[in-house]
């Protein structure tokens, strides 16, 4: 064992690491050479994500609970407990899962903040759901009681096992942040019930929506209970063999029940289902040492990211079936890009990064964090996007603050949805953001994957401590300073991720400046407390060109700045211009309008036609053949004077009110 | 009264006009100055549409009946009649309407062919449905009997009135081609029931799917019963006021229940619903002399055609909700363009043409006939497209001839669908195609609107006869010869439609050649039997450019030939090319490959990458940033040798087996 430098720097004044009896991490493979950060190992101290985590703590968690209280989704548990439930039960068949996702978020957030009020909310919810659990461990408020449909009578759409999966994930969060408690007992009884009912000697069946697998694997890992992982493996392997019944207008691919997971080559069908299944399959592959399966899943990621993924990281091209489209089918206007699919994509990428260490998984996670997950909640944390299109054609109306939004589309975030999976999914994800910021390998290699002002206090595998202070204004600035606070008196292998877009990056150590290519830049030497590593990422705005096979954005280009995809909103246009008339003039380039925040580009307008004219004279549009918008001659737009237009981060769109918007911009 | 020339030409040898007791026409406004052709006034003698009408007669009608027999949709009526129906009733709640649409098709087809076997099939079906009608006129096999939901218990989705509407339309076809019979009695009793139940003193309610209005108006016109038209008007005016209950995930616009029809500015929501409603509203406007309403409906047509219509005439951009998209939202790959929406579009345009005489309505009808309606059935008339996308990315598998297709998409026509509205709608439309080929005005003006080899025997308003023989190979050729067989010995005003695309048309009369602009070319003089009018339409292939605001086809061009939209199919590509690699070289132009049928254009391929390579090395695609299909530099495709590629009529696509296909072609 090596000795540790006494630290002479402010680390001594930092708040103590929260109590973390089990070194809480959301994903803890039972095999592998790499682990994520524990909840006691990192504190985000400011910046982009700290603000969002704070809002999540202080606003979103309460918001979600209040809506579920108002809609009766919480009372559903009470009514099962006191025997008064019946056919009038409010909420969809999967509304229990929203309660569990909120509980998971509360558990992680308490682990992070140690706020006793959060703990109490979670304890109260635990008591309420406990009363609804049947003696044999079955727990569901929609099925299985007097006046309700029977247990497991609708495996295709009933979501019973899906709900249990989220219950188990909530319990894992509790277990890994606070230790065993009644929630863990409830989950254990539910998991035992599932294993009895659906085990090798039980029903040969699966749930229409994967999720139980994820909960079983992690609860099994957390409790050291191999039966749970085995049951998850059974569910994963059963899928793709037609065990789900045929439903009108939904094909087996919707459920990923068309092809066994180890034979599939690409993600297809309902995006969240496909990604939850893939995440669980990675878990199974890792825990069982099934390298063949892992290789298949990596190939699915590769192909799906190469052909079925938006520049935001968003997945799911179709509103119909909330699903993946065909290869290259990536329309910006009808992009579904469900918030939950972005969250699920990061669940997959995180597991694949832990399994392989391939930097591309961390790259995609950053893209998805900034451009899908951060896009969903509004700055108050009380309204959300469900779908995240890359083009909005009509501004529409704001959603009333007390109205449930029936449609997962539009130009305004909504406080709650008829199917309201996204708000609680955002909540549990933001509550854990910092845990994906780095990894520690068994050989002691430390990798910093995501950048935020933070304090990182690591216990290295040999017991040595490494404490780093990260200072940055990222992503506004590309400068990231990693200050060593505590380090062992021996060489340490420290890697900093250089994002794939960051060509021209430099690492500055003690005045020495070294170019660093995308991937990882590695420092492997004895670190001295007080020294600084300065990573300089070139975050200046840049053009990004789509593959020629993406038909829907032919002739267009996107603008990105660092990890942030930009867009143009009608809010920023002069009064006499409409978004559809703008053409990006490539000859003039891009420049920052104010330090690090937004970018001013120069456009020429296509036709200088005002919105009011276009509204009042719709007939004038049909000047193509027979009133149709198709003409025998290609019409050249008249030349107009250049107009400077501001681009803003896509994640902030519609924060200033409903607007038309586009990410991909036609070029001159 | 003027005298009529004795005809010295082959008209005397033509088959006698079928018996037409009521001069059968599908749409017969009770007011107006213009009427369509009666079923006794035109015989199509060959060519594009005669072949399709023959196949419809000899194949499709039987096919539809056999499927409905096999699936139990016919027996549903027997089971209601004998009191054995119950909860296991097969088919969707609207399956009765398919039986009625088949009956309508049979009635029109019998009117056209006078084939007694067709008559007998219709009589047999009439007897079967008669037994299922309740004493008070109610007729539905899904609702209202022992073990079923109550009458009108689900007006939003129950389709009861929709089914009655189709029953009424079938009865109108019977009445106008054969006269009163038991089917007409059934319909009258059903209509009376609807008027009692939903009249001014009855329920203030509407049906989720417009259609009852169309049936009521036409039955009222045919029987001279004003109550029916008044009831239709009531239904039309009630709509758009929120009378339909809220349904999860469906907005009121889906049902056109968001805005009263006279306040709406554009078609929106479910396309077939929107268009059936509009057609009925035109009927109401015409019959009541409501010019304000008519003007509103014309504006809706204008705006919707200018901004929400495909080059094929197809309508409905979205699979989700089978609905219209926003303005300019016209993706080729996910174009829904339901066959029934094309049929419904022509129902609207036909009514507007009769009401206004504006040639643009006839233009759109031709476009829709050739490129939507003709596209649906295969050459055998036993398989159909339900959706008609303008781009197919994957070839997929052929549908088994005995399998119901659950999905309304894919690269193969299917024999039947789970929701099988299109086959019977195609059948009733093809059975009446010739009736939309011309009109006669009260002032004696005769307008030829659609061109086919045909004999036209008109009774002019003053009682004179006009017999024309049309000879043409249109649309293969643009030469249309109208030979006068019989004409009055006085000036006649005869107009021939010059399609909107036909710039450069000429009319040749007795060796004199006159240029004719798009619109109508008019001959107003005494016609001499034996003389010929020769219309020369320039059908050579031409480019058609989309409006710059249609984002989804930016940088692309379509090719049309006469009224026919062309496409490229993978079937016609060399083995080493895939469709996505082709770029149209505009400098080389277009040429006919063989007389009048297809066109050979010269393309350069984008990357000369074979399909097999792309399948085996999907990873190689993700060579953009971090494996995503977006790159910092615009990649120019390598120059390749030109390749000649055949374009074929879009309506014939996939007839040679499943294929990838596109209408809009990227340009170099």
């Amino acid at each position: 064992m090596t000795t540790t430098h006494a630290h002479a720097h402010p680390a001594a004044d930092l708040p103590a690491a929260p109590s973390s009896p089990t070194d809480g991490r959301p994903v803890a493979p039972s095999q592998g050479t790499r682990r994520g950060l524990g909840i006691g190992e990192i504190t985000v101290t400011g910046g982009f994500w700290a603000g969002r985590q704070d809002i999540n703590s202080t606003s979103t968690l309460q918001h979600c609970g209040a809506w579920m209280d108002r809609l009766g989704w919480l009372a559903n548990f009470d009514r099962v407990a006191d025997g008064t439930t019946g056919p009038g039960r409010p909420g969809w068949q999967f509304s229990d899962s929203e309660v569990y996702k909120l509980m998971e978020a509360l558990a992680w957030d308490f682990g992070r903040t140690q706020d006793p009020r959060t703990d109490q909310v979670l304890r109260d919810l635990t008591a309420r759901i406990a009363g609804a659990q049947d003696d044999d461990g079955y727990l569901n408020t929609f099925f299985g009681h007097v006046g309700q449909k029977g247990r497991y009578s609708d495996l295709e759409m009933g979501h019973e096992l899906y709900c249990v999966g989220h219950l188990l994930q909530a319990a894992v969060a509790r277990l890994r942040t606070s230790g065993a408690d009644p929630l863990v007992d409830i989950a254990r009884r539910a998991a035992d019930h599932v294993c009895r009912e659906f085990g090798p000697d039980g029903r040969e069946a699966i749930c229409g929506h994967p999720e139980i697998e994820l909960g079983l694997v992690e609860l099994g890992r957390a409790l050291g209970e191999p039966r749970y992982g085995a049951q998850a493996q059974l569910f994963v392997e059963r899928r793709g063999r037609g065990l789900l019944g045929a439903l009108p207008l939904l094909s087996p691919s919707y459920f990923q029940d068309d092809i066994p997971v180890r034979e599939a080559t690409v993600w297809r069908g309902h995006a969240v289902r496909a990604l939850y299944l893939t995440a669980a399959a990675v878990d199974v592959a890792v825990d069982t040492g099934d390298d063949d399966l892992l290789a298949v899943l990596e190939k699915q990621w590769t192909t799906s990211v190469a052909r079925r993924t938006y520049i935001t990281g968003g997945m799911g091209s179709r509103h119909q079936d909330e699903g993946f489209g065909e290869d290259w089918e990536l329309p910006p206007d009808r992009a579904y890009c469900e918030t939950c699919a972005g969250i699920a994509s990061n669940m997959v990428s995180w597991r694949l990064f832990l399994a392989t260490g391939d930097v591309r998984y961390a790259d995609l996670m950053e893209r998805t964090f900034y451009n899908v997950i951060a896009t969903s909640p509004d700055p108050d944390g009380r309204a959300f996007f469900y779908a995240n299109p890359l083009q909005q054609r009509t501004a529409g109306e704001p959603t009333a603050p007390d109205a449930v939004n029936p449609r997962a589309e539009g130009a305004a975030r909504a406080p709650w949805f008829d199917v309201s999976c996204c708000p609680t999914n955002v909540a549990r994800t933001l509550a854990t953001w910092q845990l994906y910021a780095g990894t520690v390998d068994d050989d002691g290699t430390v990798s910093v994957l995501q950048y935020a002002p933070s304090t990182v206090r690591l216990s290295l595998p040999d017991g040595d401590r490494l404490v780093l202070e990260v200072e940055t204004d990222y992503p506004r600035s590309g400068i990231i300073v990693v200050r060593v606070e505590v380090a062992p008196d021996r060489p340490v292998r420290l890697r900093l991720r250089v994002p794939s877009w960051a060509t021209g990056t430099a690492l500055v150590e003690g005045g020495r400046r070294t170019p660093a290519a995308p991937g990882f830049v590695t420092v492997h030497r004895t670190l001295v407390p007080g020294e600084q590593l300065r990573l300089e990422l070139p975050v200046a705005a840049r053009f990004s060109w789509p593959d020629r096979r993406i038909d829907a954005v032919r002739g267009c280009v996107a603008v990105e700045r660092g990890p942030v995809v930009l867009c143009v909103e009608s809010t920023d246009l002069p009064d006499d211009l409409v978004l559809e008339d703008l053409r990006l003039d490539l000859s003039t380039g891009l420049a920052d309008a104010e330090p690090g925040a937004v970018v001013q580009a120069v456009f020429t307008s296509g036709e200088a036609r005002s919105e009011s004219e276009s509204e009042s004279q719709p007939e004038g549009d049909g000047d193509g053949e027979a009133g149709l918008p198709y003409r025998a001659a290609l019409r050249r737009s008249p030349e107009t004077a250049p107009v400077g237009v501001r681009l803003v981060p896509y994640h902030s769109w519609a924060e200033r009110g409903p607007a038309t918007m586009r990410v991909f911009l036609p070029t001159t």
Side-chain angles (χ1 to χ4, degrees), chain A residues 5 10 52 118 160-161 197 219 271 307 309 351 370 385 396 450 538 553 578 596:
Chain A
H5 288 281
R52 281 161 176 80
T118 306
E160 282 158 289
L161 292 172
E197 196 75 20
L219 189 65
R307 298 177 172 211
T309 301
R351 284 162 174 78
Y370 278 105
F385 277 134
Q450 310 296 340
V553 291
V578 293

Side-chain angles (χ1 to χ4, degrees), chain A residues 59 111 113-114 151 242 261 296 312 344 355 362 365 429 456 478 629-631:
Chain A
S59 176
T113 64
Q114 296 295 306
R151 290 181 182 184
V261 66
V296 164
T312 54
M365 288 181 74
T429 303
V456 181
Y630 311 96
R631 296 185 185 86

